[in-house]
């Protein structure tokens, strides 16, 4: 008996060594698979983004290379929750929280190009929503301010932007009809909610020569995306295209 036990005890260390070896091998293979899978997902998103820019934005006439580059960079899927994330690069708006929407990629490109943001400019966005439009603007200038009237959205966008690395975007929970006086005047203002008329406070906070883009019309049906330039203190309007945005409200929630 003693003899047999002695042999078995001798075998244990060997078995253990072999077992550990197999485990390490299996883990290494698994790690390789995971890395390949992660790369595949990342590639897929990058590929989808490039395709989105080519087909939906460039093809329809947006030509400012800085805007196109920004939209190739911003990971739009990270601004959209499940179950809609897989549709992030599709050619339409998508629901976000609180019955609001993230705009169609083309509309983001069109509005961003329209206000001609230059490096160092100060930009105000009204209607932060998911924070996606603000992230696109952050590629064009470091001074991006954005106002959101729904607290839950303002907080979520702040977190998303921080997580991805857009720390410079400043978000305020408030009524965008009143603008953000503290940082005025702005070189550009982008309003991403529908309004019956241009809010006077926003026009006041626009610099001389500055540009504002805003959907003006019936907030519960259709609007005209309107570009307004401040020329000698007066608004000069240019109508762009018909759009459908969620309404601009006045009560903080
Ligand atoms: N630009 C956003 C999408 C905007 S959706 C994005 O990139 O995801 C319109 C947003 O405007 C909604 O989140 C809505 O809550 C907000 N909003 C509506 N009225 C507002 C107001 N008076 N001031 C600020 N935000 C407003």
């Amino acid at each position: 008996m003693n003899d047999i036990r002695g042999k078995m005890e001798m075998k244990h260390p060997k078995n253990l060594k072999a077992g550990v070896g197999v485990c390490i091998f299996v883990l290494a293979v698994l790690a390789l698979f995971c890395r390949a899978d992660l790369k595949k997902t990342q590639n897929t998103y990058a590929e989808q983004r490039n395709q989105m820019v080519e087909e939906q934005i460039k093809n329809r006439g947006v030509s400012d290379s800085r805007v196109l580059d920004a939209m190739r960079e911003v990971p739009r899927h990270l601004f959209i929750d499940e179950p809609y994330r897989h549709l992030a690069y599709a050619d339409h708006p998508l629901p976000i929280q609180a019955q609001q929407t993230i705009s169609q990629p083309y509309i983001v490109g069109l509005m961003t190009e329209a206000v001609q943001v230059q490096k160092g400019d100060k930009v105000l966005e009204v209607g932060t929503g998911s924070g996606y439009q603000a992230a696109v603007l952050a590629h064009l200038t470091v001074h991006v301010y954005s106002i959101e009237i729904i607290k839950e959205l303002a907080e979520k966008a702040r977190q998303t932007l921080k997580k991805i690395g857009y720390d410079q975007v400043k978000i305020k929970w408030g009524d965008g009809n009143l603008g953000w006086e503290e940082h005025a005047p702005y070189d550009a203002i982008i309003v991403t909610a529908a309004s019956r008329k241009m809010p006077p406070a926003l026009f006041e906070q626009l610099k001389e020569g500055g540009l504002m883009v805003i959907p003006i019309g019936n907030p519960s049906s259709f609007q005209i995306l309107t570009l307004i330039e401040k020329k000698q203190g007066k608004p000069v309007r240019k109508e762009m295209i018909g759009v459908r945005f969620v309404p601009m409200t006045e009560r903080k929630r």
Side-chain angles (χ1 to χ4, degrees), residues 86-98:
H86 66 289
L87 298 171
Y89 299 100
D91 193 13
H92 49 72
L94 284 170
I96 52 172
Q97 275 164 314

Side-chain angles (χ1 to χ4, degrees), residues 183-194:
H183 304 287
Y186 300 96
D187 299 277
I189 298 180
I190 290 192
V191 183
T192 64

